[in-house]
Amino acid sequence: RALSPRPCSPMTRRRLWRGAVRLRSTLSAAPPTRVAALRQLVAEESPNLFAFAGGGGPSAGGAATSSSGAAALSERAVALAAAAGPVELDAAPLAASLDDRYGRRHTYLRISLTERCSLRCTYCMPADGVSLTDARRLLSAEELLRLAALFVRAGVDKIRLTGGEPTVRPDLAAVVGALDGLRPLGLRQIAMTTNGVALSRLLPSLHAAGLDKLNLSLDTLQRGRFLELTRRDALPKVLRAVDAALALGYTPLKLNCVVMRGVNEHEVDAFAALARARPIDVRFIEFMPFDDNDWSDSKLVPSAELLAALSQRQPGLRRLRTDAHDVARTYSWPGAEGSVSFISSMTEPFCGGCNRLRLTADGSLKVCLFGGSEISLRDAMREGASDAQLLSLVSSALGRKHPRHAGLASPHDIARTKNRPMTTIGG
């Protein structure tokens, strides 16, 4: 029944989970030859996650996987996560594997599902796009799920799906459904950051599959400026996505707005009015340097400057209490439906509370957004690494993590350091 593409009731899913746990116990107690035989049988019976969704792979059909397919992947996620992991992980201090030398525990994993994007935002990539990784070097769905399960078992409780643009991936609902199956292992939240262009038609299936939280990227409320910034005339589609998300209960809905001097800083009041009228948290983000995004400090608008100006024009702003790991400082007005937040990555770094890890679409682990150093978990998996060995690589990478901004002293140093374009890192 675990291999059936038919959706199961909650009771059936609980039975599947208990059965998977019993199988794991059997593996732990069995002789090595028996363990190898059982794992080979599991591998032979499930060569591809998409086989249980009836899709044949991400390229088959070209459309989002059905809800029944998502349910099947979700059930398969539970079974794989419980039964396929190496026995030696049971005794290992898993949570400590996600600690760095400064005592920061990393419980938040951002997974880039694709390098492709439906927009060409000027601060993210050059006009002619970026060189894309060969599809054979991208993580398969099963590799992605294996790593996600490993991180969750080690202590990650929040996963955010990013890109590129995650909604261009045809199996997105199935991926969300598969991650939803990791909740018995400790996954608490599945979130996604999107440009919203295709979101309104996909959101019902994503909501049903288990998507908890949403961030939409929106840098302007003016159609002409949207076209200028993104090189696409898609603002009406994004605004429809905002309405659809609010209607489905994604509140507070977070809108990510990169503020650039001479481009959109004069729209701050319009965004604030939107936050006062609707349950939306508008997050004003300082312009950050990445490869090929034409960054300069003349375009950087410090958050302190924005906050002071907004407080003067719209008095009554009060600081709200947020999670210790939150990258934003959040404010609101008495009686307001939403809030405004400020993410000061350049002028007031929040590295001391960093709990984030990034997994790129081609399987590289980045422990800092601004660092050029990476380690390929994809290559390690394809060379036969066990889960314990993969976790050791993660722990080693975290052991080299710097206290702030990958050890770079200033935004200019970050701009001069070879990294990746933002679309291939994962927003």
Side-chain angles (χ1 to χ4, degrees):
R1 295 175 71 180
L3 305 184
S4 170
R6 293 174 297 175
C8 294
S9 67
M11 180 176 293
T12 300
R13 291 181 65 183
R14 287 194 293 271
R15 288 173 179 168
L16 285 168
W17 169 244
R18 288 195 292 269
V21 171
R22 285 196 296 272
L23 175 57
R24 184 180 175 192
S25 299
T26 301
L27 288 172
S28 300
T33 54
R34 178 61 174 160
V35 171
L38 285 170
R39 287 193 178 132
Q40 182 178 356
L41 179 62
V42 170
E44 289 172 352
E45 290 185 345
S46 55
N48 189 318
L49 284 172
F50 293 96
F52 305 107
S59 61
T65 305
S66 66
S67 58
S68 62
L73 282 174
S74 177
E75 294 156 11
R76 185 62 182 151
V78 174
L80 277 174
V87 175
E88 63 263 29
L89 284 183
D90 291 337
L94 294 183
S97 302
L98 300 184
D99 290 354
D100 67 14
R101 52 184 169 164
Y102 301 100
R104 296 173 294 195
R105 178 156 293 180
H106 297 72
T107 59
Y108 178 11
L109 177 65
R110 299 172 70 95
I111 300 176
S112 176
L113 294 180
T114 179
E115 296 176 348
R116 299 181 181 275
C117 189
S118 50
L119 300 178
R120 295 290 182 270
C121 297
T122 56
Y123 57 82
C124 190
M125 68 170 78
D128 56 353
V130 297
S131 297
L132 298 175
T133 303
D134 185 281
R136 293 168 296 183
R137 296 185 61 78
L138 299 176
L139 289 178
S140 69
E142 194 153 23
E143 288 171 332
L144 185 153
L145 180 55
R146 178 187 173 187
L147 289 174
L150 175 64
F151 277 105
V152 170
R153 292 173 64 194
V156 162
D157 61 12
K158 177 180 178 180
I159 290 178
R160 177 172 295 277
L161 302 176
T162 68
E165 170 50 40
T167 60
V168 307
R169 182 163 169 149
D171 63 326
L172 177 59
V175 170
V176 173
L179 293 175
D180 189 65
L182 299 179
R183 293 188 193 272
L185 300 181
L187 183 62
R188 180 179 54 84
Q189 185 182 112
I190 304 170
M192 184 175 75
T193 297
T194 171
N195 62 30
V197 173
L199 186 64
S200 57
R201 64 180 173 83
L202 297 175
L203 195 51
S205 63
L206 296 174
H207 184 264
L211 185 68
D212 299 307
K213 297 287 185 180
L214 265 178
N215 286 36
L216 267 70
S217 299
L218 182 60
D219 305 311
T220 178
L221 298 173
Q222 298 179 18
R223 188 167 183 174
R225 183 166 291 110
F226 187 96
L227 173 60
E228 179 182 343
L229 280 172
T230 68
R231 306 181 179 105
R232 300 291 187 270
D233 184 17
L235 179 60
K237 293 180 180 180
V238 179
L239 295 179
R240 284 197 295 271
V242 171
D243 293 337
L246 293 176
L248 274 175
Y250 286 99
T251 57
L253 178 64
K254 293 182 178 180
L255 295 186
N256 294 341
C257 176
V258 177
V259 182
M260 293 165 282
R261 195 179 303 280
V263 178
N264 63 343
E265 82 275 21
H266 57 281
E267 291 193 60
V268 168
D269 285 285
F271 275 107
L274 185 64
R276 297 183 78 155
R278 309 185 75 178
I280 291 173
D281 178 29
V282 178
R283 292 150 61 91
F284 298 117
I285 303 172
E286 291 181 343
F287 185 29
M288 296 176 283
F290 295 99
D291 285 15
D292 302 320
N293 78 338
D294 196 28
W295 182 89
S296 72
D297 58 1
S298 64
K299 295 181 182 178
L300 173 64
V301 184
S303 293
E305 178 184 325
L306 282 181
L307 176 60
L310 186 60
S311 299
Q312 186 176 28
R313 294 193 298 265
Q314 299 192 34
L317 270 178
R318 299 177 182 175
R319 178 84 180 265
L320 302 182
R321 184 183 299 274
T322 55
D323 184 86
H325 297 297
D326 202 329
V327 301
R329 291 170 293 128
T330 301
Y331 299 78
S332 190
W333 299 265
E337 288 290 316
S339 56
V340 292
S341 296
F342 300 86
I343 300 179
S344 315
S345 306
M346 296 292 95
T347 61
E348 300 175 70
F350 34 80
C351 303
C354 182
N355 67 338
R356 299 179 172 204
L357 295 166
R358 284 179 164 81
L359 183 65
T360 65
D362 61 358
S364 289
L365 178 73
K366 291 180 73 73
V367 298
C368 178
L369 175 62
F370 300 113
S373 299
E374 302 176 353
I375 186 166
S376 178
L377 300 181
R378 175 205 63 206
D379 288 351
M381 281 192 295
R382 294 181 184 180
E383 291 167 4
S386 68
D387 284 3
Q389 289 168 330
L390 291 173
L391 202 58
S392 178
L393 291 174
V394 173
S395 181
S396 296
L398 282 170
R400 297 188 295 271
K401 184 171 180 175
H402 291 273
R404 170 174 163 169
H405 280 180
L408 302 168
S410 72
H412 293 281
D413 292 329
I414 295 173
R416 286 191 291 266
T417 300
K418 182 64 178 174
N419 197 349
R420 295 187 184 213
M422 189 61 172
T423 189
T424 64
I425 294 175

